[in-house]
């Protein structure tokens, strides 16, 4: 067994501990350890504290030179980074004033990505996931949720989920797979049996057998699946032991009610949520996930993050990195911009991409720097944590650790 490694000192170390899961957060609540250190062993954190107090003859030391701020590795709790092709044409059309329907009629939209993803081999999908994961890692994101949903058939969804599983063995990032077979109704579905029933009866058992995902998502929206259509699907998914998450209230309401009814881990998007939905989520155990990347990409309203927090809700912030509505894929930039528009404290923003984001994936072993947690952390070249959001994602990490190993 190797000797424990003490890493530090950090000018400021923000463990993101001692913060409630729900409700508004003030910067005065943020615990800051000056001249902090992290003691790690076998990929886990043994202890966090003042660097000099953690020194002993029994530990090795990796000295950190200069002024640095250390935080938990960021968690991106909602992405679509498994895909084929590009939707640059959609973006140009949208900015030129074309509507969603006009773009779809011109061959764009989600179905365009479905077509391109189906054409891609599993190996090509793996390479794409790994490449995008590397970019995330350089930006300090050490855990990434990844959805299927561009296959929209049993075989093609399996191809995507198997690609995610293979990529997870290749990349240093931790990938959390989610089955989004209910992303939209397949345009080419011509069989007599119902699409969702086919997914339940043919895809779900294989997912369980091959351990491809523990989470099931669906897009509850007028253009995808109605609350009535999706309820039997989620009921069966829950019976089979899957965690539920929902694309909810992006353009019209209804999805957040479904999320709460099924005790979903998270309800994501929520740009269309009204006071009724905000109160509903705040009183539930479902975490509200804001996706500012989609608001920026589509030029639409942001998730009412301030109202959700003030109502007592839990708020995670994710990138929604996808080829259509959120191609930027830069979580820190998006979270910082959301903070500006929604008047979020630094603590609310940082908790939204660390501790609260980990909770949105039901991962209790990350998002915080504490004894027993995975030794994932990110280091910025500054002496003041406020500089991180101030530069809106342009202050890049100086170092990134994953499971106690420096990977960047």
């Amino acid at each position: 067994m190797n000797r424990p490694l003490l890493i530090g000192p950090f000018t400021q170390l923000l463990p993101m501990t001692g913060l409630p899961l729900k409700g508004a957060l003030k910067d005065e609540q943020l615990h800051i350890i000056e001249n902090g250190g992290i003691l790690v062993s076998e990929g886990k954190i043994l202890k966090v504290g003042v660097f000099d107090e953690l020194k002993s003859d029994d530990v090795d030391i990796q000295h950190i030179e200069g002024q640095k701020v250390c935080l938990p590795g960021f968690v991106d709790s909602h992405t679509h980074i498994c895909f084929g092709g590009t939707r640059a044409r959609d973006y140009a059309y949208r900015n030129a004033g074309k509507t969603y329907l006009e773009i779809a009629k011109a061959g764009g939209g989600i179905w365009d990505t479905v077509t391109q993803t189906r054409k891609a081999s599993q190996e090509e999908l793996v390479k794409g996931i790994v490449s995008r994961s590397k970019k995330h890692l350089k930006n300090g994101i050490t855990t990434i949720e990844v959805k299927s949903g561009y296959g929209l058939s049993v075989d093609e969804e399996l191809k995507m989920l198997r690609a995610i599983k293979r990529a997870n063995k290749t990349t240093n990032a931790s990938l959390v797979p989610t089955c989004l077979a209910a992303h939209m109704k397949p345009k080419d579905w011509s069989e007599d049996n119902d699409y969702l029933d086919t997914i339940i009866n043919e895809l779900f058992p294989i997912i369980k057998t091959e351990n491809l995902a523990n989470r099931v998502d669906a897009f509850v929206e007028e253009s995808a699946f109605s609350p009535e259509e999706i309820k039997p699907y989620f009921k069966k998914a829950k019976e089979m032991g899957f965690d539920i998450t929902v694309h909810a209230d992006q353009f019209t309401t209804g999805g957040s009610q479904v999320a709460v009814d099924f005790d979903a881990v998270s309800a994501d998007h929520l740009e269309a949520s009204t006071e009724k939905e905000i109160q509903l989520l705040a009183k539930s155990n479902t975490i509200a996930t804001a996706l500012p990347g989609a608001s920026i990409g589509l030029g639409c309203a942001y998730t009412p993050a301030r109202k959700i927090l003030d109502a007592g809700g839990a708020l995670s912030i994710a990138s929604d990195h996808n080829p259509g509505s959120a191609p930027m894929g830069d979580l820190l930039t998006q979270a910082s911009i959301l903070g500006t528009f929604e008047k979020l404290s630094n603590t609310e923003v940082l908790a939204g991409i660390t501790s609260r984001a980990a909770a949105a994936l039901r991962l209790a072993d990350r998002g915080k720097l504490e004894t027993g947690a995975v030794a994932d952390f990110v280091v910025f070249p500054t002496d003041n944590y406020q500089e991180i959001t101030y530069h809106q994602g342009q202050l890049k990490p100086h170092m990134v650790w994953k499971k106690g190993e420096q990977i960047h």
Side-chain angles (χ1 to χ4, degrees):
M1 181 177 173
N2 294 329
R3 282 156 50 100
L5 177 66
L6 174 60
I7 304 166
F10 302 106
T11 312
Q12 293 180 330
L13 192 153
L14 280 59
M16 303 306 294
T17 53
L19 298 171
L21 175 61
K22 299 179 71 174
L25 298 169
K26 296 184 182 298
D27 286 343
E28 290 77 14
Q29 294 173 261
L30 190 62
H31 179 40
I32 302 174
I33 302 172
E34 295 185 357
N35 297 311
I38 304 175
L39 191 62
V40 303
S41 178
E42 298 184 338
K44 298 288 185 72
I45 295 175
L46 295 179
K47 199 170 182 181
V48 175
V50 176
F51 180 79
D52 287 342
E53 294 175 3
L54 295 173
K55 284 182 180 178
S56 79
D57 292 336
D58 300 321
V59 305
D60 294 325
I61 295 176
Q62 181 173 344
H63 277 281
I64 303 299
E65 304 295 333
Q67 296 180 323
K68 303 289 189 294
V69 171
C70 179
L71 301 96
F74 298 146
V75 177
D76 194 347
S77 65
H78 181 129
T79 84
H80 303 255
I81 63 169
C82 179
F83 64 85
T86 176
R87 297 251 293 282
R89 185 181 61 172
D90 282 20
Y91 187 76
Y93 279 163
R94 198 159 53 236
N95 287 353
K98 289 190 182 297
T99 67
Y100 183 87
L101 286 175
E102 287 172 334
I103 293 170
K105 285 179 182 177
I110 291 173
W111 192 251
D112 185 16
T113 298
V114 171
T115 301
Q116 295 184 78
T117 302
R118 287 178 175 182
K119 289 178 181 177
S121 67
Q122 188 181 120
E123 186 62 38
E124 287 170 332
L125 293 179
V126 170
K127 287 180 180 178
I129 298 165
V130 171
S131 174
R132 295 172 198 117
S133 297
K134 285 180 179 178
K135 179 183 174 184
H136 264 42
L137 281 166
K138 287 181 180 179
N139 286 331
I141 302 163
T142 51
T143 298
I144 310 163
E145 187 264 8
V146 188
K147 301 180 191 297
S148 66
Y150 295 128
L152 302 188
S153 72
V154 172
D155 288 344
E156 292 297 327
E157 287 291 305
L158 280 173
K159 182 179 77 175
M160 291 188 72
L161 290 165
R162 286 166 177 160
I164 295 166
K165 185 173 183 177
R166 280 182 56 194
N168 203 18
K169 296 176 181 178
T170 304
T171 177
N172 284 316
S174 295
L175 306 183
V176 180
T178 301
C179 174
L180 181 58
H183 199 179
M184 65 177 285
K185 294 170 185 174
K187 287 184 177 183
D188 58 353
W189 189 260
S190 58
E191 298 180 31
D192 293 334
N193 52 336
D194 181 77
Y195 172 68
L196 292 180
D197 284 344
T198 300
I199 296 300
I200 290 168
N201 296 324
E202 297 183 23
L203 180 61
F204 283 1
I206 299 173
I207 291 174
K208 282 292 183 181
T209 300
E210 296 187 21
N211 193 27
L212 294 173
N214 293 317
R215 296 159 43 87
V216 166
D217 193 353
F219 190 14
V220 180
E221 188 56 64
E222 288 179 356
S223 61
F225 297 93
S226 70
E228 290 69 33
E229 288 173 312
I230 214 65
K231 284 176 183 178
Y233 181 77
F234 277 157
K235 183 175 184 292
K236 189 63 180 178
K238 285 207 77 168
E239 288 173 358
M240 294 181 72
F242 290 104
D243 281 342
I244 301 298
T245 183
V246 187
H247 278 63
D249 299 359
Q250 184 176 11
F251 303 113
T252 58
T253 57
S256 56
Q257 181 69 62
V258 173
V260 172
D261 288 347
F262 283 89
D263 194 27
V265 183
S266 70
D268 303 9
H269 273 295
L270 308 174
E271 295 91 338
S273 297
T274 68
E275 189 63 28
K276 175 187 172 184
E277 287 76 33
I278 290 167
Q279 292 298 327
L280 184 72
L281 288 165
K283 292 178 172 65
S284 76
N285 294 319
T286 298
I287 293 174
T289 300
L291 304 175
S295 299
I296 295 167
L298 294 173
C300 65
Y302 289 96
T303 303
R306 179 75 272 148
K307 290 181 178 179
I308 291 168
L309 289 165
D310 288 346
L315 183 81
S316 170
I317 306 170
S319 74
D320 194 22
H321 190 189
N322 74 73
S325 60
M328 181 199 298
D330 192 322
L331 177 61
L332 183 57
T333 294
Q334 295 162 359
S336 300
I337 292 171
L338 178 71
T340 300
F341 278 89
E342 284 294 308
K343 304 308 173 194
L344 307 181
S345 70
N346 274 317
T347 305
E348 289 167 337
V349 171
L350 294 175
I353 59 176
T354 56
S355 56
R356 290 177 168 181
L361 298 175
R362 286 198 173 149
L363 295 174
D365 64 349
R366 64 201 67 193
K368 300 176 184 177
L369 300 177
E370 60 185 358
T371 300
V374 176
D376 294 357
F377 46 98
V378 56
V379 179
F380 286 88
T382 179
D383 63 349
N384 176 8
Y385 80 93
Q386 294 172 324
E387 299 279 349
I388 297 169
T389 54
Y390 168 64
H391 287 284
Q392 297 182 317
Q394 299 313 296
L395 182 67
K396 300 297 182 183
H398 181 68
M399 304 171 182
V400 179
W401 268 266
K402 180 65 184 173
K403 296 180 181 177
E405 298 286 334
Q406 186 176 344
I407 59 172
H408 175 62

